[in-house]
Amino acid sequence: MNREIQQFKAEFFKALAHPMRIRILEVLCEGDKNVNELQAILGSEGSAVSQQLAVLRSKNVVSGTKEGTSVIYSLRDPLIKDLLGVARQIFDNHLVDAISLLENIRNE
């Protein structure tokens, strides 16, 4: 069982391992969007956005619901928002450590 969980985690984090996919998730944290809305917000081609959404869908990170001729994308689990927030805190902590180190070097 432990190996299955580790495999799930590895696949999940692989799905997050692209800057555009992270940005898509950050946008979806604010609310559900269709491809055109995501494209406009991200300032990227629709094909690039669609390609990254396909990866996120295949890993069950986002879901799509057909509404008329559009597909509305949303986070499959609201905890993804928390995960991205924690990742941001970790980044901020590393940044604070780096700034502190640079200040110590400068003061020597």
Side-chain angles (χ1 to χ4, degrees):
M1 181 71 157
N2 195 21
R3 187 169 286 167
E4 292 171 0
I5 292 171
Q6 291 169 343
Q7 185 63 36
F8 170 81
K9 288 178 183 178
E11 292 299 319
F12 178 79
F13 284 112
K14 281 182 195 176
L16 302 182
H18 190 283
M20 183 179 284
R21 291 195 291 262
I22 294 293
R23 184 66 185 120
I24 287 170
L25 294 175
E26 290 172 341
V27 170
L28 292 177
C29 285
E30 299 166 8
D32 302 349
K33 305 277 185 278
N34 65 37
V35 174
N36 292 332
E37 292 170 321
L38 288 167
Q39 178 183 348
I41 292 167
L42 299 172
S44 184
E45 298 177 13
S47 61
V49 172
S50 294
Q51 189 175 39
Q52 300 307 327
L53 282 167
V55 172
L56 292 170
R57 283 183 79 172
S58 72
K59 301 297 182 181
N60 293 314
V61 179
V62 300
S63 61
T65 306
K66 188 114 169 123
E67 286 188 12
T69 59
S70 295
V71 177
I72 307 300
Y73 291 93
S74 60
L75 300 176
R76 282 193 54 97
D77 191 321
L79 288 175
I80 292 171
K81 184 175 182 175
D82 295 338
L83 177 67
L84 293 173
V86 169
R88 176 60 188 238
Q89 289 174 332
I90 292 169
F91 173 80
D92 289 348
N93 290 343
H94 285 279
L95 188 59
V96 167
D97 290 344
I99 290 170
S100 177
L101 178 64
L102 288 172
E103 287 175 350
N104 288 337
I105 291 170
R106 191 180 320 154
N107 292 332
E108 290 179 355

XYZ file of all heavy atoms in Angstrom:
847
model
N 0.827 -1.206 0.000
C 0.000 0.000 0.000
C 0.863 1.258 0.000
O 0.587 2.193 -0.719
C -0.936 -0.036 1.217
C -1.844 1.133 1.298
S -3.103 1.056 0.031
C -4.325 2.057 0.744
N 1.915 1.259 0.783
C 2.779 2.422 0.862
C 3.376 2.756 -0.503
O 3.485 3.919 -0.873
C 3.875 2.184 1.899
C 4.586 3.469 2.292
O 4.068 4.549 2.116
N 5.777 3.321 2.820
N 3.752 1.737 -1.260
C 4.322 1.950 -2.590
C 3.297 2.589 -3.519
O 3.631 3.443 -4.335
C 4.809 0.619 -3.159
C 5.549 0.806 -4.462
C 6.242 -0.442 -4.895
N 7.399 -0.616 -4.036
C 8.115 -1.718 -3.956
N 7.794 -2.755 -4.687
N 9.155 -1.800 -3.173
N 2.042 2.189 -3.403
C 0.982 2.773 -4.233
C 0.792 4.249 -3.923
O 0.599 5.062 -4.835
C -0.324 2.014 -4.024
C -0.291 0.604 -4.573
C -1.513 -0.206 -4.160
O -2.384 0.326 -3.452
O -1.578 -1.375 -4.552
N 0.857 4.588 -2.657
C 0.720 5.994 -2.261
C 1.902 6.803 -2.778
O 1.729 7.917 -3.292
C 0.589 6.124 -0.728
C -0.745 5.526 -0.274
C 0.705 7.577 -0.282
C -0.898 5.410 1.218
N 3.102 6.238 -2.669
C 4.287 6.931 -3.175
C 4.195 7.138 -4.684
O 4.547 8.196 -5.195
C 5.555 6.152 -2.821
C 5.852 6.173 -1.339
C 6.942 5.196 -0.948
O 7.280 4.277 -1.689
N 7.488 5.391 0.235
N 3.689 6.139 -5.390
C 3.523 6.252 -6.839
C 2.496 7.327 -7.179
O 2.695 8.131 -8.090
C 3.114 4.909 -7.453
C 3.042 4.917 -8.963
C 4.382 5.188 -9.620
O 5.429 4.754 -9.139
N 4.360 5.925 -10.723
N 1.387 7.341 -6.424
C 0.370 8.374 -6.636
C 0.974 9.761 -6.434
O 0.768 10.666 -7.252
C -0.820 8.184 -5.683
C -1.764 9.347 -5.698
C -2.712 9.477 -6.696
C -1.681 10.341 -4.723
C -3.581 10.568 -6.731
C -2.538 11.437 -4.753
C -3.484 11.538 -5.755
N 1.729 9.931 -5.355
C 2.350 11.229 -5.076
C 3.303 11.633 -6.194
O 3.311 12.790 -6.629
C 3.101 11.195 -3.743
C 2.211 11.157 -2.527
C 3.061 11.074 -1.268
C 2.225 10.959 -0.021
N 3.069 10.843 1.185
N 4.107 10.690 -6.650
C 5.060 10.987 -7.720
C 4.332 11.439 -8.980
O 4.723 12.436 -9.609
C 5.929 9.766 -8.006
N 3.285 10.733 -9.360
C 2.516 11.099 -10.556
C 1.822 12.443 -10.367
O 1.752 13.252 -11.292
C 1.494 10.006 -10.883
C 2.122 8.702 -11.334
C 2.950 8.841 -12.593
O 2.534 9.554 -13.521
O 4.036 8.222 -12.644
N 1.315 12.684 -9.176
C 0.640 13.945 -8.877
C 1.618 15.107 -9.023
O 1.318 16.112 -9.681
C 0.056 13.901 -7.459
C -0.625 15.171 -7.047
C -1.905 15.454 -7.484
C 0.020 16.082 -6.226
C -2.548 16.628 -7.108
C -0.613 17.258 -5.844
C -1.893 17.524 -6.284
N 2.804 14.966 -8.431
C 3.776 16.052 -8.515
C 4.334 16.212 -9.919
O 4.690 17.320 -10.322
C 4.883 15.887 -7.469
C 4.431 16.271 -6.092
C 4.292 15.317 -5.106
C 4.117 17.585 -5.783
C 3.864 15.660 -3.831
C 3.674 17.946 -4.516
C 3.547 16.977 -3.536
N 4.408 15.140 -10.700
C 4.795 15.266 -12.106
C 3.790 16.148 -12.848
O 4.161 16.940 -13.709
C 4.856 13.898 -12.781
C 6.094 13.117 -12.491
C 6.032 11.806 -13.259
C 7.032 10.814 -12.761
N 6.919 9.513 -13.444
N 2.518 15.983 -12.506
C 1.477 16.795 -13.150
C 1.648 18.269 -12.828
O 1.271 19.129 -13.621
C 0.092 16.316 -12.720
N 2.231 18.573 -11.687
C 2.426 19.966 -11.288
C 3.751 20.533 -11.795
O 4.002 21.725 -11.643
C 2.394 20.082 -9.758
C 1.137 19.588 -9.055
C 1.249 19.826 -7.563
C -0.112 20.230 -9.606
N 4.589 19.702 -12.394
C 5.956 20.075 -12.712
C 6.093 20.856 -14.016
O 6.940 20.547 -14.846
C 6.832 18.820 -12.748
N 5.280 21.866 -14.176
C 5.393 22.740 -15.356
C 4.850 24.109 -14.958
O 3.758 24.204 -14.388
C 4.585 22.159 -16.515
C 4.841 22.843 -17.807
N 4.298 24.069 -18.117
C 5.596 22.484 -18.867
C 4.695 24.429 -19.314
N 5.484 23.486 -19.803
N 5.590 25.180 -15.260
C 5.145 26.518 -14.837
C 3.749 26.890 -15.318
O 2.978 27.494 -14.559
C 6.203 27.455 -15.435
C 7.404 26.602 -15.634
C 6.892 25.219 -15.924
N 3.396 26.541 -16.556
C 2.060 26.904 -17.033
C 0.980 26.117 -16.295
O -0.079 26.668 -15.997
C 1.905 26.698 -18.536
C 0.517 27.166 -19.021
S 0.244 26.996 -20.773
C 1.214 28.372 -21.360
N 1.251 24.871 -15.964
C 0.246 24.089 -15.228
C 0.038 24.672 -13.840
O -1.095 24.752 -13.354
C 0.656 22.617 -15.179
C 0.577 21.967 -16.545
C 0.613 20.467 -16.486
N 1.863 19.890 -16.086
C 2.792 19.414 -16.914
N 2.606 19.460 -18.227
N 3.888 18.877 -16.450
N 1.114 25.105 -13.205
C 0.990 25.758 -11.891
C 0.159 27.027 -12.033
O -0.744 27.285 -11.240
C 2.375 26.088 -11.292
C 3.158 24.813 -10.975
C 2.244 26.975 -10.055
C 2.586 23.971 -9.865
N 0.437 27.813 -13.049
C -0.307 29.068 -13.260
C -1.781 28.784 -13.530
O -2.651 29.482 -13.016
C 0.333 29.850 -14.422
C -0.297 31.188 -14.642
C -0.061 32.129 -13.467
N -0.784 33.360 -13.699
C -1.738 33.843 -12.911
N -2.048 33.227 -11.803
N -2.360 34.951 -13.209
N -2.063 27.746 -14.316
C -3.462 27.365 -14.569
C -4.144 27.031 -13.248
O -5.267 27.483 -12.992
C -3.535 26.172 -15.553
C -3.180 26.625 -16.965
C -4.927 25.540 -15.529
C -2.978 25.486 -17.958
N -3.474 26.266 -12.411
C -4.068 25.902 -11.121
C -4.279 27.123 -10.244
O -5.309 27.232 -9.568
C -3.193 24.868 -10.408
C -3.111 23.509 -11.093
C -2.123 22.610 -10.372
C -4.485 22.856 -11.185
N -3.326 28.048 -10.259
C -3.491 29.273 -9.473
C -4.710 30.062 -9.945
O -5.474 30.590 -9.123
C -2.232 30.132 -9.560
C -1.049 29.545 -8.828
C 0.255 30.287 -9.069
O 0.384 31.037 -10.060
O 1.161 30.102 -8.241
N -4.901 30.128 -11.252
C -6.068 30.835 -11.797
C -7.352 30.104 -11.406
O -8.333 30.727 -10.999
C -5.961 30.990 -13.330
C -7.259 31.489 -13.931
C -4.807 31.923 -13.693
N -7.344 28.777 -11.493
C -8.538 28.004 -11.142
C -8.843 28.059 -9.639
O -9.978 27.824 -9.240
C -8.404 26.556 -11.613
C -8.418 26.370 -13.131
C -8.204 24.902 -13.492
C -9.715 26.891 -13.739
N -7.850 28.390 -8.833
C -8.101 28.597 -7.398
C -9.060 29.764 -7.186
O -9.783 29.810 -6.189
C -6.793 28.871 -6.649
S -5.768 27.416 -6.379
N -9.063 30.694 -8.128
C -9.924 31.874 -8.043
C -11.330 31.595 -8.551
O -12.239 32.377 -8.323
C -9.296 33.025 -8.829
C -7.931 33.433 -8.306
C -7.167 34.329 -9.269
O -7.741 34.773 -10.280
O -5.973 34.560 -9.018
N -11.496 30.476 -9.270
C -12.814 30.120 -9.786
C -12.700 29.352 -11.089
O -11.659 29.342 -11.744
N -13.787 28.707 -11.447
C -13.832 27.895 -12.663
C -13.702 28.777 -13.903
O -14.193 29.908 -13.924
C -15.139 27.115 -12.723
C -15.341 26.203 -11.521
O -14.371 26.019 -10.743
O -16.442 25.669 -11.359
N -13.033 28.239 -14.930
C -12.809 28.998 -16.163
C -12.877 28.058 -17.359
O -12.590 26.874 -17.252
C -11.415 29.637 -16.164
C -11.090 30.518 -14.982
C -11.633 31.895 -15.160
C -11.222 32.831 -14.058
N -11.988 32.768 -12.847
N -13.198 28.618 -18.534
C -13.096 27.848 -19.773
C -11.732 28.149 -20.419
O -10.986 29.003 -19.942
C -14.270 28.123 -20.713
C -14.308 29.546 -21.223
O -13.285 30.161 -21.487
N -15.510 30.092 -21.371
N -11.429 27.460 -21.504
C -10.123 27.602 -22.151
C -9.889 29.037 -22.612
O -8.791 29.578 -22.438
C -9.976 26.625 -23.343
C -8.689 26.885 -24.106
C -10.008 25.194 -22.870
N -10.901 29.669 -23.189
C -10.737 31.048 -23.671
C -10.409 31.997 -22.528
O -9.564 32.894 -22.680
C -11.984 31.518 -24.414
C -12.175 30.780 -25.726
O -11.217 30.321 -26.340
N -13.418 30.654 -26.153
N -11.076 31.818 -21.396
C -10.791 32.672 -20.239
C -9.369 32.435 -19.732
O -8.640 33.390 -19.428
C -11.801 32.400 -19.117
C -13.207 32.847 -19.449
C -14.234 32.353 -18.447
O -14.145 31.195 -17.977
O -15.144 33.148 -18.132
N -8.980 31.165 -19.642
C -7.616 30.846 -19.203
C -6.589 31.428 -20.167
O -5.584 32.006 -19.735
C -7.439 29.325 -19.082
C -8.156 28.668 -17.910
C -8.170 27.157 -18.070
C -7.506 29.070 -16.593
N -6.850 31.294 -21.445
C -5.949 31.815 -22.465
C -5.774 33.321 -22.299
O -4.652 33.834 -22.345
C -6.497 31.493 -23.845
C -5.668 32.018 -24.985
C -6.314 31.736 -26.339
O -7.257 30.969 -26.440
N -5.807 32.372 -27.366
N -6.860 34.033 -22.102
C -6.799 35.490 -21.946
C -6.025 35.875 -20.684
O -5.196 36.792 -20.709
C -8.208 36.072 -21.914
N -6.283 35.194 -19.591
C -5.617 35.504 -18.324
C -4.126 35.196 -18.405
O -3.292 35.964 -17.935
C -6.277 34.734 -17.161
C -7.693 35.259 -16.915
C -5.438 34.836 -15.886
C -8.545 34.381 -16.021
N -3.801 34.059 -19.017
C -2.403 33.620 -19.082
C -1.628 34.304 -20.202
O -0.398 34.269 -20.223
C -2.338 32.104 -19.271
C -2.954 31.271 -18.162
C -3.002 29.810 -18.560
C -2.180 31.446 -16.870
N -2.351 34.887 -21.163
C -1.696 35.506 -22.308
C -0.956 34.479 -23.143
O 0.152 34.723 -23.613
N -1.576 33.330 -23.320
C -0.943 32.233 -24.042
C -1.878 31.703 -25.118
O -3.081 31.939 -25.084
C -0.599 31.119 -23.061
O 0.087 30.078 -23.693
N -1.311 30.953 -26.057
C -2.106 30.344 -27.116
C -3.081 29.328 -26.536
O -2.778 28.656 -25.561
C -1.206 29.600 -28.106
C -0.222 30.428 -28.844
C 0.646 29.552 -29.742
O 0.311 28.374 -29.967
O 1.662 30.071 -30.203
N -4.235 29.214 -27.170
C -5.217 28.236 -26.729
C -4.700 26.814 -26.800
O -5.003 25.993 -25.939
N -3.885 26.513 -27.837
C -3.377 25.145 -27.969
C -2.442 24.799 -26.820
O -2.468 23.675 -26.314
C -2.663 24.965 -29.310
O -1.556 25.838 -29.418
N -1.621 25.754 -26.386
C -0.707 25.510 -25.265
C -1.496 25.290 -23.982
O -1.199 24.383 -23.201
C 0.261 26.669 -25.103
N -2.524 26.105 -23.766
C -3.366 25.967 -22.574
C -4.097 24.635 -22.619
O -4.126 23.902 -21.621
C -4.352 27.152 -22.451
C -5.351 26.929 -21.334
C -3.592 28.458 -22.242
N -4.654 24.299 -23.758
C -5.373 23.031 -23.901
C -4.460 21.836 -23.645
O -4.859 20.858 -23.012
C -5.991 22.911 -25.288
O -6.998 23.879 -25.454
N -3.250 21.923 -24.142
C -2.284 20.838 -23.953
C -1.983 20.634 -22.465
O -1.954 19.503 -21.972
C -1.002 21.180 -24.716
C 0.000 20.063 -24.793
C 1.174 20.459 -25.673
O 1.631 21.611 -25.641
N 1.667 19.527 -26.456
N -1.791 21.721 -21.751
C -1.487 21.612 -20.314
C -2.719 21.167 -19.516
O -2.603 20.402 -18.554
C -0.927 22.931 -19.777
C 0.359 23.384 -20.446
C 1.441 22.323 -20.454
O 1.562 21.508 -19.540
N 2.237 22.308 -21.511
N -3.889 21.619 -19.932
C -5.117 21.154 -19.284
C -5.300 19.650 -19.479
O -5.764 18.949 -18.575
C -6.331 21.907 -19.827
C -6.536 23.316 -19.287
C -7.557 24.058 -20.134
C -6.953 23.285 -17.823
N -4.931 19.150 -20.643
C -5.040 17.713 -20.918
C -4.176 16.914 -19.949
O -4.599 15.868 -19.444
C -4.653 17.416 -22.363
N -2.985 17.413 -19.660
C -2.117 16.736 -18.697
C -2.770 16.757 -17.313
O -2.824 15.729 -16.624
C -0.716 17.390 -18.645
C 0.124 16.812 -17.519
C -0.010 17.241 -19.985
N -3.265 17.918 -16.909
C -3.890 18.041 -15.584
C -5.135 17.163 -15.477
O -5.387 16.580 -14.417
C -4.227 19.509 -15.301
C -3.021 20.429 -15.117
C -3.464 21.885 -15.095
C -2.256 20.068 -13.858
N -5.890 17.052 -16.554
C -7.076 16.186 -16.548
C -6.682 14.720 -16.470
O -7.297 13.942 -15.741
C -7.928 16.415 -17.793
C -8.756 17.679 -17.729
C -9.617 17.823 -18.939
N -10.791 16.960 -18.809
C -11.818 16.971 -19.622
N -11.821 17.784 -20.655
N -12.842 16.183 -19.436
N -5.652 14.334 -17.216
C -5.241 12.930 -17.242
C -4.738 12.467 -15.877
O -4.823 11.289 -15.553
C -4.172 12.700 -18.307
O -2.937 13.258 -17.919
N -4.234 13.390 -15.071
C -3.746 13.065 -13.729
C -4.800 13.362 -12.657
O -4.510 13.337 -11.470
C -2.464 13.849 -13.420
C -1.343 13.580 -14.390
C -0.894 12.140 -14.348
C 0.269 11.912 -15.291
N 0.708 10.544 -15.309
N -6.026 13.671 -13.102
C -7.147 13.942 -12.193
C -6.901 15.118 -11.245
O -7.364 15.115 -10.110
C -7.518 12.688 -11.393
C -8.085 11.621 -12.276
O -8.939 11.893 -13.123
N -7.605 10.404 -12.110
N -6.181 16.119 -11.732
C -5.938 17.318 -10.937
C -7.043 18.341 -11.176
O -7.455 19.045 -10.258
C -4.541 17.916 -11.241
C -4.294 19.176 -10.442
C -3.453 16.878 -10.962
N -7.518 18.419 -12.423
C -8.655 19.281 -12.764
C -9.733 18.431 -13.422
O -9.476 17.331 -13.896
C -8.262 20.453 -13.709
C -7.209 21.338 -13.086
C -7.824 19.952 -15.064
N -10.925 18.973 -13.430
C -12.022 18.308 -14.132
C -12.664 19.310 -15.076
O -12.567 20.524 -14.876
C -13.049 17.756 -13.140
O -13.601 18.803 -12.374
N -13.290 18.791 -16.101
C -13.967 19.633 -17.072
C -15.425 19.245 -17.189
O -15.748 18.054 -17.214
N -16.293 20.241 -17.233
C -17.727 20.031 -17.370
C -18.192 20.755 -18.617
O -17.942 21.960 -18.779
C -18.483 20.584 -16.138
O -17.919 20.016 -14.956
C -19.950 20.277 -16.212
N -18.843 20.039 -19.492
C -19.333 20.618 -20.751
C -20.540 21.505 -20.466
O -21.489 21.090 -19.815
C -19.713 19.499 -21.710
C -20.037 19.978 -23.087
C -19.012 19.460 -24.057
C -19.492 19.712 -25.464
N -18.564 20.482 -26.222
N -20.473 22.735 -20.942
C -21.593 23.681 -20.850
C -21.774 24.301 -22.232
O -21.001 25.174 -22.623
C -21.330 24.761 -19.801
C -21.456 24.274 -18.381
C -21.387 25.407 -17.371
O -21.468 26.595 -17.766
O -21.245 25.094 -16.178
N -22.755 23.823 -22.952
C -22.956 24.285 -24.334
C -21.788 23.840 -25.182
O -21.471 22.658 -25.244
N -21.128 24.806 -25.805
C -19.978 24.474 -26.651
C -18.654 24.609 -25.899
O -17.598 24.361 -26.470
C -19.945 25.387 -27.889
O -19.862 26.748 -27.458
C -21.178 25.184 -28.746
N -18.709 25.014 -24.655
C -17.492 25.217 -23.861
C -17.327 24.121 -22.817
O -18.293 23.478 -22.408
C -17.547 26.559 -23.126
O -17.548 27.624 -24.034
N -16.080 23.959 -22.381
C -15.783 23.094 -21.247
C -15.291 24.002 -20.130
O -14.376 24.807 -20.325
C -14.712 22.042 -21.594
C -14.359 21.199 -20.377
C -15.188 21.157 -22.735
N -15.929 23.880 -18.981
C -15.561 24.678 -17.819
C -14.651 23.826 -16.938
O -15.020 22.728 -16.529
C -16.806 25.122 -17.014
C -17.826 25.825 -17.929
C -16.407 26.006 -15.842
C -17.309 27.065 -18.606
N -13.458 24.354 -16.649
C -12.470 23.627 -15.856
C -12.494 24.088 -14.411
O -12.686 25.268 -14.124
C -11.068 23.815 -16.451
C -10.938 23.105 -17.766
C -11.190 23.753 -18.967
C -10.598 21.755 -17.803
C -11.091 23.091 -20.169
C -10.503 21.081 -19.010
C -10.754 21.752 -20.183
O -10.671 21.082 -21.380
N -12.284 23.130 -13.512
C -12.231 23.423 -12.086
C -11.243 22.478 -11.415
O -10.862 21.447 -11.979
C -13.623 23.267 -11.455
O -14.087 21.946 -11.630
N -10.832 22.858 -10.219
C -9.965 21.992 -9.427
C -10.765 20.776 -8.983
O -11.911 20.914 -8.553
C -9.457 22.733 -8.186
C -8.639 24.002 -8.417
C -8.316 24.653 -7.079
C -7.372 23.705 -9.197
N -10.187 19.588 -9.075
C -10.886 18.382 -8.625
C -10.949 18.331 -7.102
O -11.853 17.740 -6.543
C -10.213 17.127 -9.158
C -10.568 16.893 -10.605
C -10.187 15.535 -11.097
N -10.673 14.418 -10.344
C -11.754 13.701 -10.631
N -12.496 14.039 -11.661
N -12.085 12.665 -9.917
N -9.970 18.925 -6.457
C -9.926 18.908 -4.996
C -9.553 20.299 -4.507
O -8.504 20.827 -4.896
C -8.887 17.885 -4.525
C -8.953 17.610 -3.037
O -9.170 18.568 -2.257
O -8.773 16.450 -2.643
N -10.373 20.898 -3.653
C -10.075 22.250 -3.172
C -8.782 22.328 -2.354
O -8.219 23.403 -2.181
C -11.295 22.629 -2.326
C -12.013 21.358 -2.058
C -11.643 20.395 -3.127
N -8.275 21.190 -1.880
C -7.024 21.193 -1.121
C -5.824 21.579 -1.989
O -4.771 21.934 -1.465
C -6.779 19.827 -0.479
C -7.698 19.480 0.694
C -7.448 18.062 1.163
C -7.515 20.471 1.829
N -5.980 21.531 -3.316
C -4.901 21.968 -4.201
C -4.564 23.426 -3.926
O -3.401 23.817 -3.953
C -5.274 21.729 -5.678
C -5.325 20.220 -5.940
C -4.306 22.435 -6.627
C -5.888 19.822 -7.277
N -5.570 24.213 -3.610
C -5.335 25.620 -3.269
C -4.440 25.714 -2.036
O -3.501 26.510 -1.994
C -6.671 26.337 -3.027
C -6.538 27.804 -2.773
C -7.893 28.463 -2.674
C -7.744 29.954 -2.460
N -9.027 30.650 -2.471
N -4.707 24.879 -1.042
C -3.875 24.862 0.160
C -2.450 24.419 -0.164
O -1.481 24.982 0.342
C -4.473 23.933 1.219
C -5.822 24.410 1.733
O -6.125 25.615 1.622
O -6.579 23.564 2.243
N -2.328 23.404 -1.015
C -1.016 22.904 -1.410
C -0.196 23.995 -2.085
O 0.991 24.185 -1.777
C -1.163 21.706 -2.349
C 0.130 21.121 -2.901
C 0.952 20.484 -1.804
C -0.178 20.112 -3.985
N -0.808 24.742 -2.986
C -0.109 25.827 -3.657
C 0.283 26.926 -2.670
O 1.354 27.529 -2.789
C -0.959 26.399 -4.791
C -1.195 25.450 -5.969
C -2.187 26.057 -6.950
C 0.099 25.080 -6.654
N -0.572 27.162 -1.687
C -0.255 28.143 -0.642
C 0.934 27.707 0.200
O 1.816 28.513 0.514
N 0.988 26.430 0.543
C 2.118 25.898 1.308
C 3.395 25.979 0.475
O 4.455 26.358 0.984
C 1.840 24.446 1.784
C 3.097 23.795 2.328
C 0.740 24.436 2.833
N 3.298 25.647 -0.809
C 4.467 25.747 -1.688
C 4.978 27.190 -1.722
O 6.189 27.429 -1.710
C 4.127 25.259 -3.096
N 4.068 28.138 -1.744
C 4.454 29.556 -1.735
C 5.157 29.919 -0.431
O 6.162 30.636 -0.420
C 3.211 30.432 -1.943
C 3.460 31.922 -1.870
C 4.452 32.339 -2.945
N 4.848 33.706 -2.778
C 4.689 34.637 -3.700
N 4.158 34.333 -4.855
N 5.074 35.854 -3.474
N 4.660 29.396 0.695
C 5.296 29.658 1.985
C 6.707 29.071 2.032
O 7.631 29.705 2.551
C 4.452 29.081 3.122
C 3.173 29.839 3.356
C 2.278 29.168 4.383
O 2.307 27.951 4.553
N 1.495 29.949 5.083
N 6.872 27.866 1.485
C 8.197 27.243 1.432
C 9.138 28.107 0.599
O 10.281 28.363 0.985
C 8.101 25.808 0.883
C 7.373 24.913 1.886
C 9.491 25.251 0.553
C 6.979 23.552 1.346
N 8.665 28.573 -0.556
C 9.457 29.463 -1.401
C 9.848 30.726 -0.636
O 11.008 31.142 -0.655
C 8.675 29.834 -2.665
C 9.353 30.882 -3.491
C 10.393 30.555 -4.340
C 8.953 32.220 -3.407
C 11.034 31.527 -5.099
C 9.583 33.196 -4.153
C 10.630 32.848 -5.004
N 8.872 31.337 0.045
C 9.145 32.547 0.818
C 10.190 32.290 1.895
O 11.078 33.121 2.125
C 7.863 33.097 1.444
C 6.915 33.697 0.416
O 7.320 33.896 -0.747
O 5.743 33.944 0.785
N 10.105 31.124 2.574
C 11.085 30.778 3.605
C 12.482 30.662 3.004
O 13.456 31.136 3.589
C 10.711 29.467 4.299
C 9.477 29.605 5.165
O 9.070 30.706 5.517
N 8.870 28.491 5.487
N 12.585 30.027 1.839
C 13.884 29.907 1.178
C 14.403 31.277 0.759
O 15.600 31.547 0.854
C 13.792 28.979 -0.039
C 13.714 27.539 0.337
N 14.815 26.802 0.666
C 12.662 26.698 0.445
C 14.459 25.567 0.953
N 13.150 25.477 0.825
N 13.515 32.126 0.310
C 13.904 33.468 -0.097
C 14.419 34.259 1.101
O 15.450 34.930 1.016
C 12.712 34.188 -0.744
C 12.982 35.528 -1.398
C 14.014 35.393 -2.504
C 11.683 36.094 -1.971
N 13.746 34.167 2.237
C 14.181 34.853 3.456
C 15.559 34.352 3.873
O 16.443 35.140 4.232
C 13.144 34.661 4.592
C 13.713 35.079 5.930
C 11.875 35.444 4.288
N 15.757 33.024 3.803
C 17.065 32.454 4.150
C 18.152 32.973 3.214
O 19.257 33.295 3.647
C 17.023 30.921 4.104
C 16.202 30.314 5.226
O 15.914 31.034 6.213
O 15.856 29.123 5.114
N 17.859 33.047 1.915
C 18.841 33.526 0.940
C 19.183 34.992 1.183
O 20.359 35.382 1.120
C 18.314 33.321 -0.472
N 18.175 35.804 1.482
C 18.410 37.225 1.766
C 19.255 37.374 3.016
O 20.195 38.169 3.056
C 17.065 37.978 1.883
C 16.400 38.073 0.525
C 17.278 39.365 2.494
C 14.968 38.578 0.567
N 18.952 36.585 4.034
C 19.710 36.628 5.274
C 21.169 36.248 5.036
O 22.087 36.889 5.550
C 19.075 35.695 6.311
O 19.829 35.675 7.485
N 21.399 35.213 4.240
C 22.758 34.792 3.916
C 23.500 35.893 3.177
O 24.659 36.193 3.489
C 22.713 33.518 3.078
C 24.055 32.970 2.604
C 24.912 32.533 3.787
C 23.822 31.784 1.661
N 22.846 36.506 2.198
C 23.481 37.599 1.451
C 23.821 38.777 2.363
O 24.883 39.384 2.220
C 22.584 38.055 0.310
C 22.456 37.099 -0.862
C 21.392 37.580 -1.832
C 23.788 36.938 -1.566
N 22.947 39.084 3.295
C 23.214 40.188 4.233
C 24.411 39.855 5.120
O 25.239 40.718 5.408
C 21.969 40.485 5.070
C 20.883 41.189 4.289
C 19.595 41.378 5.083
O 19.452 40.812 6.184
O 18.724 42.107 4.574
N 24.502 38.600 5.562
C 25.637 38.187 6.389
C 26.943 38.285 5.601
O 27.965 38.727 6.130
C 25.444 36.759 6.909
C 24.393 36.670 7.978
O 24.087 37.663 8.640
N 23.831 35.494 8.173
N 26.916 37.888 4.332
C 28.105 37.961 3.488
C 28.503 39.418 3.278
O 29.688 39.773 3.351
C 27.865 37.254 2.128
C 27.751 35.734 2.344
C 28.949 37.600 1.122
C 27.290 34.978 1.120
N 27.525 40.255 3.054
C 27.785 41.690 2.832
C 28.382 42.342 4.071
O 29.223 43.221 3.980
C 26.501 42.406 2.442
C 26.748 43.808 1.942
C 25.513 44.568 1.552
N 24.547 43.758 0.867
C 23.237 43.995 0.847
N 22.761 45.054 1.485
N 22.396 43.230 0.205
N 27.951 41.912 5.266
C 28.402 42.515 6.511
C 29.782 42.002 6.945
O 30.367 42.582 7.874
C 27.383 42.282 7.615
C 26.099 43.038 7.384
O 26.099 44.101 6.743
N 24.993 42.515 7.869
N 30.280 40.966 6.312
C 31.594 40.421 6.703
C 32.729 41.213 6.173
O 32.796 41.919 5.316
C 31.727 38.963 6.258
C 30.832 38.052 7.042
C 30.944 36.601 6.592
O 31.638 36.299 5.612
O 30.300 35.757 7.239
